[in-house]
Amino acid sequence: MDFESTRAAVHHAGLTPRGAFHPDPDDGVPEIRPRAPARTLVLVGNAGPEMWHRFSADRDPQQDLLDDWSGDVLTELAAALGAVALFPFTRPHLPFQRWARRAEPCHPSPLGIFIHPDYGLWHGYRGALAFADAIALPPPDRRPSPCESCADRPCLTACPVSAFGPSGYDVPACARHISTQAGADCM
């Protein structure tokens, strides 16, 4: 399997390839078979509306869990590609944030959420494909954080209920707001 074929298969499944790397022993990537380390890890997630369109077409978003759909899609994709699927929502939790920083130019934002130079804050990780072989990968993208060149920090003042601040994301304040009529636009 080559990287471009893997990228194409991920896109075909309605997901977004989110970068890849060759893991070191200290990256926390589990063995994919007894005494068989993963030699390539391809992160898979979402950036933009494609995943949501596919999920909504495949499942009832009011009834089905996104994690269940992601698990089904990525497990099937991994089997077709000769990989093992790994997930951020299983226990014990795997270090997906560490992997993201190895795989692509993601950086902690002032909100504590990872920011990407192209996708901003609106992206996520649904899983990873672990391969036994070392797949040839493109050179790593090491762009700096977009926050480094942003003096005004509008992310800290954009929320109508100040749920975003220097100490992070106030999830309860956000949840209270979006559950009201006034929060409908935020939802």
mmCIF file with all atom_site columns, all heavy atoms in Angstrom, residues 153-170:
data_model
loop_
_atom_site.group_PDB
_atom_site.id
_atom_site.type_symbol
_atom_site.label_atom_id
_atom_site.label_alt_id
_atom_site.label_comp_id
_atom_site.label_asym_id
_atom_site.label_entity_id
_atom_site.label_seq_id
_atom_site.pdbx_PDB_ins_code
_atom_site.Cartn_x
_atom_site.Cartn_y
_atom_site.Cartn_z
_atom_site.occupancy
_atom_site.B_iso_or_equiv
_atom_site.pdbx_formal_charge
_atom_site.auth_seq_id
_atom_site.auth_comp_id
_atom_site.auth_asym_id
_atom_site.auth_atom_id
_atom_site.pdbx_PDB_model_num
ATOM 1   N N   . ARG A 1 153 ? -5.910  38.227 18.816 1.00 0.00 ? 153 ARG A N   1
ATOM 2   C CA  . ARG A 1 153 ? -6.518  37.073 19.493 1.00 0.00 ? 153 ARG A CA  1
ATOM 3   C C   . ARG A 1 153 ? -8.049  37.156 19.542 1.00 0.00 ? 153 ARG A C   1
ATOM 4   O O   . ARG A 1 153 ? -8.656  37.094 20.614 1.00 0.00 ? 153 ARG A O   1
ATOM 5   C CB  . ARG A 1 153 ? -5.954  36.912 20.897 1.00 0.00 ? 153 ARG A CB  1
ATOM 6   C CG  . ARG A 1 153 ? -4.434  36.885 20.943 1.00 0.00 ? 153 ARG A CG  1
ATOM 7   C CD  . ARG A 1 153 ? -3.959  35.529 21.185 1.00 0.00 ? 153 ARG A CD  1
ATOM 8   N NE  . ARG A 1 153 ? -2.513  35.463 20.980 1.00 0.00 ? 153 ARG A NE  1
ATOM 9   C CZ  . ARG A 1 153 ? -1.771  34.511 21.446 1.00 0.00 ? 153 ARG A CZ  1
ATOM 10  N NH1 . ARG A 1 153 ? -2.310  33.576 22.163 1.00 0.00 ? 153 ARG A NH1 1
ATOM 11  N NH2 . ARG A 1 153 ? -0.500  34.480 21.185 1.00 0.00 ? 153 ARG A NH2 1
ATOM 12  N N   . PRO A 1 154 ? -8.710  37.282 18.371 1.00 0.00 ? 154 PRO A N   1
ATOM 13  C CA  . PRO A 1 154 ? -10.173 37.378 18.368 1.00 0.00 ? 154 PRO A CA  1
ATOM 14  C C   . PRO A 1 154 ? -10.857 36.118 18.892 1.00 0.00 ? 154 PRO A C   1
ATOM 15  O O   . PRO A 1 154 ? -12.003 36.180 19.334 1.00 0.00 ? 154 PRO A O   1
ATOM 16  C CB  . PRO A 1 154 ? -10.516 37.627 16.895 1.00 0.00 ? 154 PRO A CB  1
ATOM 17  C CG  . PRO A 1 154 ? -9.360  37.074 16.134 1.00 0.00 ? 154 PRO A CG  1
ATOM 18  C CD  . PRO A 1 154 ? -8.154  37.312 17.027 1.00 0.00 ? 154 PRO A CD  1
ATOM 19  N N   . CYS A 1 155 ? -10.167 35.003 18.898 1.00 0.00 ? 155 CYS A N   1
ATOM 20  C CA  . CYS A 1 155 ? -10.766 33.772 19.413 1.00 0.00 ? 155 CYS A CA  1
ATOM 21  C C   . CYS A 1 155 ? -11.161 33.903 20.879 1.00 0.00 ? 155 CYS A C   1
ATOM 22  O O   . CYS A 1 155 ? -12.095 33.253 21.340 1.00 0.00 ? 155 CYS A O   1
ATOM 23  C CB  . CYS A 1 155 ? -9.819  32.586 19.224 1.00 0.00 ? 155 CYS A CB  1
ATOM 24  S SG  . CYS A 1 155 ? -8.238  32.743 20.107 1.00 0.00 ? 155 CYS A SG  1
ATOM 25  N N   . LEU A 1 156 ? -10.455 34.764 21.604 1.00 0.00 ? 156 LEU A N   1
ATOM 26  C CA  . LEU A 1 156 ? -10.733 34.907 23.031 1.00 0.00 ? 156 LEU A CA  1
ATOM 27  C C   . LEU A 1 156 ? -11.938 35.803 23.322 1.00 0.00 ? 156 LEU A C   1
ATOM 28  O O   . LEU A 1 156 ? -12.448 35.801 24.442 1.00 0.00 ? 156 LEU A O   1
ATOM 29  C CB  . LEU A 1 156 ? -9.495  35.446 23.757 1.00 0.00 ? 156 LEU A CB  1
ATOM 30  C CG  . LEU A 1 156 ? -8.270  34.530 23.709 1.00 0.00 ? 156 LEU A CG  1
ATOM 31  C CD1 . LEU A 1 156 ? -7.084  35.206 24.390 1.00 0.00 ? 156 LEU A CD1 1
ATOM 32  C CD2 . LEU A 1 156 ? -8.560  33.184 24.344 1.00 0.00 ? 156 LEU A CD2 1
ATOM 33  N N   . THR A 1 157 ? -12.402 36.543 22.307 1.00 0.00 ? 157 THR A N   1
ATOM 34  C CA  . THR A 1 157 ? -13.523 37.457 22.542 1.00 0.00 ? 157 THR A CA  1
ATOM 35  C C   . THR A 1 157 ? -14.715 37.197 21.637 1.00 0.00 ? 157 THR A C   1
ATOM 36  O O   . THR A 1 157 ? -15.726 37.898 21.731 1.00 0.00 ? 157 THR A O   1
ATOM 37  C CB  . THR A 1 157 ? -13.063 38.917 22.345 1.00 0.00 ? 157 THR A CB  1
ATOM 38  O OG1 . THR A 1 157 ? -12.547 39.062 21.024 1.00 0.00 ? 157 THR A OG1 1
ATOM 39  C CG2 . THR A 1 157 ? -12.010 39.298 23.374 1.00 0.00 ? 157 THR A CG2 1
ATOM 40  N N   . ALA A 1 158 ? -14.657 36.215 20.763 1.00 0.00 ? 158 ALA A N   1
ATOM 41  C CA  . ALA A 1 158 ? -15.720 35.978 19.784 1.00 0.00 ? 158 ALA A CA  1
ATOM 42  C C   . ALA A 1 158 ? -16.975 35.351 20.384 1.00 0.00 ? 158 ALA A C   1
ATOM 43  O O   . ALA A 1 158 ? -18.068 35.547 19.878 1.00 0.00 ? 158 ALA A O   1
ATOM 44  C CB  . ALA A 1 158 ? -15.205 35.081 18.658 1.00 0.00 ? 158 ALA A CB  1
ATOM 45  N N   . CYS A 1 159 ? -16.856 34.637 21.459 1.00 0.00 ? 159 CYS A N   1
ATOM 46  C CA  . CYS A 1 159 ? -17.998 33.922 22.036 1.00 0.00 ? 159 CYS A CA  1
ATOM 47  C C   . CYS A 1 159 ? -18.934 34.888 22.765 1.00 0.00 ? 159 CYS A C   1
ATOM 48  O O   . CYS A 1 159 ? -18.482 35.666 23.607 1.00 0.00 ? 159 CYS A O   1
ATOM 49  C CB  . CYS A 1 159 ? -17.499 32.847 23.003 1.00 0.00 ? 159 CYS A CB  1
ATOM 50  S SG  . CYS A 1 159 ? -18.844 31.959 23.802 1.00 0.00 ? 159 CYS A SG  1
ATOM 51  N N   . PRO A 1 160 ? -20.249 34.818 22.484 1.00 0.00 ? 160 PRO A N   1
ATOM 52  C CA  . PRO A 1 160 ? -21.185 35.734 23.133 1.00 0.00 ? 160 PRO A CA  1
ATOM 53  C C   . PRO A 1 160 ? -21.348 35.510 24.637 1.00 0.00 ? 160 PRO A C   1
ATOM 54  O O   . PRO A 1 160 ? -21.856 36.393 25.335 1.00 0.00 ? 160 PRO A O   1
ATOM 55  C CB  . PRO A 1 160 ? -22.503 35.494 22.398 1.00 0.00 ? 160 PRO A CB  1
ATOM 56  C CG  . PRO A 1 160 ? -22.378 34.155 21.790 1.00 0.00 ? 160 PRO A CG  1
ATOM 57  C CD  . PRO A 1 160 ? -20.913 33.950 21.518 1.00 0.00 ? 160 PRO A CD  1
ATOM 58  N N   . VAL A 1 161 ? -20.934 34.362 25.159 1.00 0.00 ? 161 VAL A N   1
ATOM 59  C CA  . VAL A 1 161 ? -21.040 34.117 26.606 1.00 0.00 ? 161 VAL A CA  1
ATOM 60  C C   . VAL A 1 161 ? -19.665 33.933 27.238 1.00 0.00 ? 161 VAL A C   1
ATOM 61  O O   . VAL A 1 161 ? -19.541 33.404 28.332 1.00 0.00 ? 161 VAL A O   1
ATOM 62  C CB  . VAL A 1 161 ? -21.958 32.906 26.912 1.00 0.00 ? 161 VAL A CB  1
ATOM 63  C CG1 . VAL A 1 161 ? -23.393 33.217 26.523 1.00 0.00 ? 161 VAL A CG1 1
ATOM 64  C CG2 . VAL A 1 161 ? -21.461 31.641 26.245 1.00 0.00 ? 161 VAL A CG2 1
ATOM 65  N N   . SER A 1 162 ? -18.626 34.372 26.533 1.00 0.00 ? 162 SER A N   1
ATOM 66  C CA  . SER A 1 162 ? -17.243 34.318 27.029 1.00 0.00 ? 162 SER A CA  1
ATOM 67  C C   . SER A 1 162 ? -16.824 32.914 27.458 1.00 0.00 ? 162 SER A C   1
ATOM 68  O O   . SER A 1 162 ? -16.119 32.736 28.451 1.00 0.00 ? 162 SER A O   1
ATOM 69  C CB  . SER A 1 162 ? -17.052 35.311 28.181 1.00 0.00 ? 162 SER A CB  1
ATOM 70  O OG  . SER A 1 162 ? -17.349 36.619 27.751 1.00 0.00 ? 162 SER A OG  1
ATOM 71  N N   . ALA A 1 163 ? -17.239 31.920 26.678 1.00 0.00 ? 163 ALA A N   1
ATOM 72  C CA  . ALA A 1 163 ? -16.850 30.546 26.998 1.00 0.00 ? 163 ALA A CA  1
ATOM 73  C C   . ALA A 1 163 ? -15.396 30.273 26.630 1.00 0.00 ? 163 ALA A C   1
ATOM 74  O O   . ALA A 1 163 ? -14.817 29.303 27.117 1.00 0.00 ? 163 ALA A O   1
ATOM 75  C CB  . ALA A 1 163 ? -17.766 29.553 26.281 1.00 0.00 ? 163 ALA A CB  1
ATOM 76  N N   . PHE A 1 164 ? -14.829 31.098 25.769 1.00 0.00 ? 164 PHE A N   1
ATOM 77  C CA  . PHE A 1 164 ? -13.428 30.950 25.400 1.00 0.00 ? 164 PHE A CA  1
ATOM 78  C C   . PHE A 1 164 ? -12.629 32.006 26.138 1.00 0.00 ? 164 PHE A C   1
ATOM 79  O O   . PHE A 1 164 ? -12.956 33.189 26.086 1.00 0.00 ? 164 PHE A O   1
ATOM 80  C CB  . PHE A 1 164 ? -13.223 31.132 23.897 1.00 0.00 ? 164 PHE A CB  1
ATOM 81  C CG  . PHE A 1 164 ? -13.942 30.130 23.054 1.00 0.00 ? 164 PHE A CG  1
ATOM 82  C CD1 . PHE A 1 164 ? -14.657 30.524 21.946 1.00 0.00 ? 164 PHE A CD1 1
ATOM 83  C CD2 . PHE A 1 164 ? -13.894 28.779 23.349 1.00 0.00 ? 164 PHE A CD2 1
ATOM 84  C CE1 . PHE A 1 164 ? -15.318 29.604 21.141 1.00 0.00 ? 164 PHE A CE1 1
ATOM 85  C CE2 . PHE A 1 164 ? -14.548 27.849 22.560 1.00 0.00 ? 164 PHE A CE2 1
ATOM 86  C CZ  . PHE A 1 164 ? -15.257 28.262 21.457 1.00 0.00 ? 164 PHE A CZ  1
ATOM 87  N N   . GLY A 1 165 ? -11.599 31.598 26.818 1.00 0.00 ? 165 GLY A N   1
ATOM 88  C CA  . GLY A 1 165 ? -10.781 32.550 27.541 1.00 0.00 ? 165 GLY A CA  1
ATOM 89  C C   . GLY A 1 165 ? -9.367  32.054 27.699 1.00 0.00 ? 165 GLY A C   1
ATOM 90  O O   . GLY A 1 165 ? -9.038  30.938 27.280 1.00 0.00 ? 165 GLY A O   1
ATOM 91  N N   . PRO A 1 166 ? -8.517  32.848 28.295 1.00 0.00 ? 166 PRO A N   1
ATOM 92  C CA  . PRO A 1 166 ? -7.110  32.476 28.454 1.00 0.00 ? 166 PRO A CA  1
ATOM 93  C C   . PRO A 1 166 ? -6.913  31.167 29.227 1.00 0.00 ? 166 PRO A C   1
ATOM 94  O O   . PRO A 1 166 ? -5.923  30.488 29.061 1.00 0.00 ? 166 PRO A O   1
ATOM 95  C CB  . PRO A 1 166 ? -6.493  33.645 29.201 1.00 0.00 ? 166 PRO A CB  1
ATOM 96  C CG  . PRO A 1 166 ? -7.463  34.754 29.100 1.00 0.00 ? 166 PRO A CG  1
ATOM 97  C CD  . PRO A 1 166 ? -8.809  34.160 28.835 1.00 0.00 ? 166 PRO A CD  1
ATOM 98  N N   . SER A 1 167 ? -7.880  30.805 30.062 1.00 0.00 ? 167 SER A N   1
ATOM 99  C CA  . SER A 1 167 ? -7.723  29.562 30.825 1.00 0.00 ? 167 SER A CA  1
ATOM 100 C C   . SER A 1 167 ? -8.339  28.361 30.114 1.00 0.00 ? 167 SER A C   1
ATOM 101 O O   . SER A 1 167 ? -8.365  27.268 30.657 1.00 0.00 ? 167 SER A O   1
ATOM 102 C CB  . SER A 1 167 ? -8.344  29.724 32.216 1.00 0.00 ? 167 SER A CB  1
ATOM 103 O OG  . SER A 1 167 ? -9.725  30.023 32.107 1.00 0.00 ? 167 SER A OG  1
ATOM 104 N N   . GLY A 1 168 ? -8.852  28.565 28.899 1.00 0.00 ? 168 GLY A N   1
ATOM 105 C CA  . GLY A 1 168 ? -9.387  27.438 28.129 1.00 0.00 ? 168 GLY A CA  1
ATOM 106 C C   . GLY A 1 168 ? -10.847 27.627 27.757 1.00 0.00 ? 168 GLY A C   1
ATOM 107 O O   . GLY A 1 168 ? -11.355 28.747 27.703 1.00 0.00 ? 168 GLY A O   1
ATOM 108 N N   . TYR A 1 169 ? -11.485 26.515 27.536 1.00 0.00 ? 169 TYR A N   1
ATOM 109 C CA  . TYR A 1 169 ? -12.859 26.460 27.029 1.00 0.00 ? 169 TYR A CA  1
ATOM 110 C C   . TYR A 1 169 ? -13.806 26.106 28.164 1.00 0.00 ? 169 TYR A C   1
ATOM 111 O O   . TYR A 1 169 ? -13.685 25.051 28.776 1.00 0.00 ? 169 TYR A O   1
ATOM 112 C CB  . TYR A 1 169 ? -12.900 25.417 25.912 1.00 0.00 ? 169 TYR A CB  1
ATOM 113 C CG  . TYR A 1 169 ? -14.240 25.134 25.281 1.00 0.00 ? 169 TYR A CG  1
ATOM 114 C CD1 . TYR A 1 169 ? -15.196 26.116 25.100 1.00 0.00 ? 169 TYR A CD1 1
ATOM 115 C CD2 . TYR A 1 169 ? -14.531 23.858 24.837 1.00 0.00 ? 169 TYR A CD2 1
ATOM 116 C CE1 . TYR A 1 169 ? -16.403 25.847 24.501 1.00 0.00 ? 169 TYR A CE1 1
ATOM 117 C CE2 . TYR A 1 169 ? -15.739 23.570 24.230 1.00 0.00 ? 169 TYR A CE2 1
ATOM 118 C CZ  . TYR A 1 169 ? -16.669 24.565 24.065 1.00 0.00 ? 169 TYR A CZ  1
ATOM 119 O OH  . TYR A 1 169 ? -17.866 24.288 23.468 1.00 0.00 ? 169 TYR A OH  1
ATOM 120 N N   . ASP A 1 170 ? -14.755 26.994 28.463 1.00 0.00 ? 170 ASP A N   1
ATOM 121 C CA  . ASP A 1 170 ? -15.740 26.781 29.522 1.00 0.00 ? 170 ASP A CA  1
ATOM 122 C C   . ASP A 1 170 ? -16.927 26.029 28.912 1.00 0.00 ? 170 ASP A C   1
ATOM 123 O O   . ASP A 1 170 ? -17.905 26.625 28.453 1.00 0.00 ? 170 ASP A O   1
ATOM 124 C CB  . ASP A 1 170 ? -16.167 28.121 30.108 1.00 0.00 ? 170 ASP A CB  1
ATOM 125 C CG  . ASP A 1 170 ? -17.123 27.993 31.284 1.00 0.00 ? 170 ASP A CG  1
ATOM 126 O OD1 . ASP A 1 170 ? -17.636 26.875 31.533 1.00 0.00 ? 170 ASP A OD1 1
ATOM 127 O OD2 . ASP A 1 170 ? -17.361 29.019 31.943 1.00 0.00 ? 170 ASP A OD2 1
#
